[in-house]
Amino acid sequence: MTEQPLTRSEENYLKAVYSLSGNTDKGVSTSDLATRLETKASSVTDMVQKLAEKNLLHYRKYQGAKLTPGGKAAAIQIVRKHRLWEVFLHEKLGFAWDEVHDIAEQLEHIKSEELILRLERFLGHPKYDPHGDPIPDPDGRIQARRSMPVSEMKPGMEGVITGVRDSSSSFLQYLDKQQLVLGTRISVVEVFDYDQSVQIETADNRITLSFDVSKNIKVQVENG
Amino acid sequence: MTEQPLTRSEENYLKAVYSLSGNTDKGVSTSDLATRLETKASSVTDMVQKLAEKNLLHYRKYQGAKLTPGGKAAAIQIVRKHRLWEVFLHEKLGFAWDEVHDIAEQLEHIKSEELILRLERFLGHPKYDPHGDPIPDPDGRIQARRSMPVSEMKPGMEGVITGVRDSSSSFLQYLDKQQLVLGTRISVVEVFDYDQSVQIETADNRITLSFDVSKNIKVQVENG
DNA sequence: AGATGATTTTAGACAAGTCTAAACCTGTTT
DNA sequence: AAACAGGTTTAGACTTGTCTAAAATCATCT
Ligand SMILES: [Mn+2]
Ligand SMILES: [Mn+2]
Ligand SMILES: [Mn+2]
Ligand SMILES: [Mn+2]
């Protein structure tokens, strides 16, 4: 009854529900899942019903999908594997942070608990992946960092870049070009009312960030 | 027309045809493939016809399957990936040589040329996998070692264990127990006519090997 | 050559996962 | 309350890879 092996598709659905749920307690809509999984709403309905059958999520017609405790645990394990593999690809194989995601999408489905435990040890028990996202421990516990997007910072505030809200290749490459890598210390010089753009200062540069960009950079602000 | 992505199943069939072909130029029989792939003959017929359609192997009814150059190249790439992953699991993650195969069976299907090139570099361009099997280079070239099974050695001959013909967990664990790991130097003391068993000597021990065991240990014999 | 037995292929079916098109809810507007 | 527009589900179909059972072929032995 417990611990049925999941197919790759099932794992992808659970991960999608998990990531679209965010902090909220609300069900994830069929169409949001369809968009995320690049599939059709009808396919989502089918799969969601199947996963509900397996007690991995709660589902009532027209009310969207919500993970059960078991479903959430499964989803977190996949996230854990994904992020550990990303660390491996980046730290050990030298892939850039914008190149790791697609390969990790494949690697996250490899079935072996022992493999992941050993990989984690080999990597030195990393706490964060190359995009600054926390790596769940073997029991699924996640210690989140409190951080805020640059877009919410006020002039004069300082902090260190600890993550991104958009892991797309184009965004990550843009950050590389601007030398805004994880760990970079920045301070906000000015926020322009006109278009919500933000001027920031690093050790080397002054850069103006569009609102869209500033929303997607997460900063750990000095305790104030 | 070239370079269609292969499914996991197709890859497994190609690899099975490759490994069952050995050196011979003959077609591999449907039933041998079925046994190897733990499936039914009728399933093999279906898949073999599909792969022939894709020009990955030659197939004539009742005549078995033979790899085309394209099919052989594809098969070798999978073998290459399998063996590189085995090295990673053994050398970097510390898995025993009898534990690596099953996980490598999964990892060999990950799709990324770049990943394998980087993995190979990270591993220091190993020439052999943990079972002594040669690792094809990126272009599919394989440099085989000339070796003979212990069962063909005559009394007085010496050599170094370089590989095994059976990678089953039980066989590998047996070798571990007897301290017959790759690189061990052995000499043949006596061959018993009665049951073809072989008495060998290592630096530390004298051990008698059954014919079955002696067939499955490959030795590189001193140039004589 | 004819019969026998093993191997192989075909026919028909099924499960998983997906799709399109049609039917169905639901929330909001008239 | 009825109509409309979105979003959702259902119905029916298709593909891939597999299976069982039946038919076909091959190899071998009288
Ligand atoms: Mn990722
Ligand atoms: Mn990540
Ligand atoms: Mn292997
Ligand atoms: Mn091997």
Side-chain angles (χ1 to χ4, degrees):
Chain A
M1 186 210 146
T2 337
E3 277 307 283
Q4 328 128 76
L6 301 174
T7 68
R8 171 176 298 229
S9 245
E10 290 171 334
E11 291 188 341
N12 284 334
Y13 274 87
L14 291 177
K15 194 165 61 120
V17 175
Y18 177 72
S19 101
L20 291 173
S21 295
N23 298 314
T24 72
D25 195 40
K26 311 199 58 176
V28 176
S29 79
T30 301
S31 55
D32 284 357
L33 281 168
T35 303
R36 168 65 64 100
L37 292 162
E38 295 179 272
T39 184
K40 303 294 170 177
S42 54
S43 306
V44 172
T45 300
D46 283 349
M47 181 60 94
V48 144
Q49 286 171 345
K50 199 177 84 178
L51 291 171
E53 202 62 41
K54 294 192 181 189
N55 290 309
L56 291 163
L57 42 79
H58 299 293
Y59 171 69
R60 279 191 0 269
K61 279 189 193 181
Y62 301 99
Q63 307 304 302
K66 244 195 72 179
L67 292 170
T68 62
K72 184 173 179 185
I76 288 175
Q77 283 310 308
I78 302 160
V79 168
R80 169 173 152 80
K81 293 197 272 181
H82 181 99
R83 292 181 181 164
L84 283 169
W85 280 118
E86 283 189 345
V87 173
F88 170 70
L89 295 171
H90 184 59
E91 299 284 318
K92 301 294 183 179
L93 299 194
F95 279 101
W97 68 338
D98 65 296
E99 298 173 320
V100 300
H101 182 79
D102 290 348
I103 301 176
E105 283 294 311
Q106 297 182 63
L107 287 164
E108 72 189 4
H109 301 293
I110 301 290
K111 259 113 193 139
S112 168
E113 186 109 346
E114 181 67 16
L115 171 62
I116 292 305
L117 290 172
R118 284 177 184 265
L119 179 64
E120 183 176 41
R121 188 182 324 152
F122 177 64
L123 297 172
H125 298 275
K127 295 269 168 297
Y128 303 100
D129 84 0
H131 312 106
D133 293 313
I135 295 171
D137 77 12
D139 296 322
R141 281 183 290 261
I142 302 173
Q143 61 176 120
R145 235 170 338 200
R146 12 176 187 48
S147 61
M148 63 171 62
V150 171
S151 56
E152 290 177 17
M153 293 170 75
K154 305 297 173 204
M157 289 174 76
E158 303 191 25
V160 172
I161 299 179
T162 57
V164 294
R165 298 197 91 90
D166 174 2
S167 286
S168 72
S169 203
S170 57
F171 182 61
L172 298 178
Q173 284 174 21
Y174 166 82
L175 294 183
D176 276 340
K177 289 248 173 65
Q178 301 284 13
Q179 300 181 48
L180 296 174
V181 298
L182 294 197
T184 302
R185 152 164 265 103
I186 68 167
S187 63
V188 171
V189 179
E190 193 172 351
V191 179
F192 300 104
D193 258 20
Y194 175 61
D195 62 353
Q196 309 256 54
S197 65
V198 185
Q199 189 172 40
I200 64 168
E201 189 174 68
T202 69
D204 313 323
N205 295 317
R206 283 200 170 198
I207 309 165
T208 301
L209 305 176
S210 71
F211 182 59
D212 255 16
V213 167
S214 69
K215 266 189 316 193
N216 286 322
I217 300 176
K218 293 193 287 187
V219 171
Q220 184 148 22
V221 173
E222 253 72 282
N223 59 331
Chain B
M1 187 210 147
T2 336
E3 276 309 282
Q4 329 129 74
L6 300 174
T7 67
R8 173 177 297 232
S9 244
E10 289 171 335
E11 291 188 342
N12 284 333
Y13 274 87
L14 291 176
K15 192 164 62 118
V17 175
Y18 177 72
S19 101
L20 291 174
S21 294
N23 297 313
T24 71
D25 195 38
K26 309 200 60 175
V28 176
S29 78
T30 299
S31 54
D32 283 358
L33 281 168
T35 302
R36 168 66 62 101
L37 292 162
E38 296 179 85
T39 183
K40 302 294 171 179
S42 54
S43 305
V44 172
T45 300
D46 284 350
M47 182 59 94
V48 144
Q49 285 171 346
K50 200 177 83 178
L51 291 171
E53 202 62 42
K54 294 192 180 188
N55 288 311
L56 292 164
L57 42 80
H58 299 294
Y59 171 68
R60 283 193 353 270
K61 277 189 192 180
Y62 299 101
Q63 307 303 302
K66 243 196 74 180
L67 292 169
T68 62
K72 184 174 178 184
I76 288 175
Q77 284 309 310
I78 303 159
V79 168
R80 168 172 152 82
K81 292 197 272 180
H82 181 99
R83 292 180 181 166
L84 283 169
W85 280 117
E86 284 191 343
V87 172
F88 169 71
L89 295 170
H90 184 60
E91 300 283 319
K92 301 295 183 180
L93 299 194
F95 279 102
W97 68 336
D98 65 295
E99 298 172 320
V100 299
H101 182 77
D102 290 348
I103 302 176
E105 283 294 310
Q106 297 182 64
L107 287 163
E108 72 188 3
H109 301 292
I110 301 291
K111 259 111 192 143
S112 169
E113 186 109 344
E114 182 67 17
L115 171 62
I116 292 305
L117 290 172
R118 284 179 183 265
L119 179 64
E120 182 176 41
R121 188 182 324 152
F122 177 64
L123 297 173
H125 298 276
K127 294 271 167 298
Y128 303 99
D129 83 2
H131 312 105
D133 293 313
I135 295 171
D137 77 13
D139 296 323
R141 279 183 291 262
I142 302 172
Q143 61 175 118
R145 231 172 339 199
R146 14 175 187 50
S147 61
M148 62 172 64
V150 171
S151 57
E152 290 178 16
M153 294 171 74
K154 303 299 171 200
M157 288 175 78
E158 303 191 26
V160 172
I161 299 178
T162 57
V164 293
R165 301 197 89 92
D166 173 2
S167 285
S168 72
S169 204
S170 57
F171 183 60
L172 298 178
Q173 283 175 21
Y174 166 82
L175 293 183
D176 277 341
K177 289 249 173 65
Q178 302 284 11
Q179 300 182 47
L180 296 174
V181 298
L182 294 197
T184 302
R185 153 165 263 100
I186 68 168
S187 63
V188 172
V189 178
E190 194 172 350
V191 177
F192 299 104
D193 257 19
Y194 175 61
D195 62 352
Q196 308 257 52
S197 66
V198 184
Q199 189 173 40
I200 63 168
E201 190 175 67
T202 69
D204 312 322
N205 294 319
R206 282 200 171 198
I207 309 165
T208 301
L209 306 175
S210 72
F211 182 58
D212 255 15
V213 167
S214 68
K215 267 189 316 195
N216 286 322
I217 301 176
K218 292 193 287 188
V219 171
Q220 184 148 22
V221 173
E222 254 73 280
N223 59 331

